[in-house]
């Protein structure tokens, strides 16, 4: 339902540290209109130009806190991500992306924050892999975006 609004179109940027390109980032929004607690957020299925970037290469920046991996956000049981708040998803990839237009395939994995599903207890212990559709709450399908690399600076 909210798939068209999950990634800000002008947000794809390479990330530099000490003058070296260490990866790239995109601005993302939450698909759940109620928002979610960060502990329910499992990461993303991210594929750019046919290359998949697993959750272990992702960090997540929200609520003024520095980027955290999804093991850290699983512990943020009292921290909320409101629907209208933009977050920055950082992807570690030495060299980053080349200038130009890139095809991004994307799926957010956030466990449902209400109701009972038979999988709830298992998914809290062992979060499903993003991209499988399991645990994707309001984003059951992988969505494709065409994004142009923005070289005007970092987020």
């Amino acid at each position: 339902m909210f798939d068209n609004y999950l990634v800000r179109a002008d947000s794809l940027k390479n990330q530099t540290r000490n003058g070296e390109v260490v990866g790239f980032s995109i601005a993302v929004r939450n698909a759940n209109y109620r928002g979610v607690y960060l502990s329910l957020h499992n990461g993303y299925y991210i594929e750019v130009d046919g290359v998949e970037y697993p959750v272990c290469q992702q960090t997540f920046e929200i609520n003024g806190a520095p980027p955290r991996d999804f093991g850290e956000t699983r512990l943020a049981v009292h921290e909320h991500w409101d629907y209208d708040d933009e977050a920055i998803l950082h992807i570690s990839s030495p060299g980053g992306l080349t200038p130009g237009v890139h095809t991004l395939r994307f799926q957010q994995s956030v466990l449902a924050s209400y109701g009972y599903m038979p999988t709830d207890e298992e998914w809290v212990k062992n979060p499903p892999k993003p991209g499988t559709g399991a645990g994707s709450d309001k984003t059951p399908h992988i969505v494709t975006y065409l994004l142009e690399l923005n070289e005007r600076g970092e987020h």
Side-chain angles (χ1 to χ4, degrees), residues 5-155:
Y5 306 103
L6 296 179
V7 175
R8 185 164 40 88
D10 66 348
S11 68
L12 181 62
K13 299 178 183 186
N14 277 329
Q15 299 282 277
T16 59
R17 189 176 305 122
N18 300 323
E20 183 178 338
V21 177
V22 295
F24 59 95
S25 64
I26 55 175
V28 297
R29 292 183 68 191
N30 188 337
N32 192 315
Y33 60 91
R34 296 177 181 195
V36 296
Y37 287 97
L38 289 187
S39 59
L40 298 174
H41 193 13
N42 299 316
Y44 295 86
Y45 174 81
I46 297 285
E47 179 187 298
V48 179
D49 301 331
V51 177
E52 187 177 336
Y53 298 91
V55 172
C56 64
Q57 289 180 253
Q58 302 171 22
T59 56
F60 189 70
E61 183 180 349
I62 186 73
N63 298 331
R68 295 171 272 182
D69 65 38
F70 288 96
E72 293 172 290
T73 62
R74 285 184 70 192
L75 303 175
V77 297
H78 299 291
E79 187 176 347
H80 202 259
W81 180 17
D82 294 327
Y83 169 71
D84 202 34
D85 290 348
E86 192 171 83
I88 304 299
L89 178 63
H90 301 271
I91 296 91
S92 175
S93 177
L97 299 173
T98 59
V101 176
H102 296 274
T103 301
L104 168 71
R105 296 186 69 230
F106 176 95
Q107 184 182 44
Q108 187 178 82
S109 181
V110 177
L111 301 180
S113 58
Y114 50 86
Y116 175 78
M117 299 291 291
T119 53
D120 285 352
E121 188 173 343
E122 178 60 29
W123 284 353
V124 167
K125 293 175 186 173
N126 299 300
K129 180 181 177 191
T132 63
S136 59
D137 192 25
K138 304 286 187 225
T139 58
H141 306 288
I142 294 173
V143 181
T144 301
Y145 299 88
L146 294 177
L147 302 176
E148 187 167 1
L149 184 68
N150 181 348
E151 287 299 332
R152 289 180 286 159
E154 295 185 357
H155 292 287

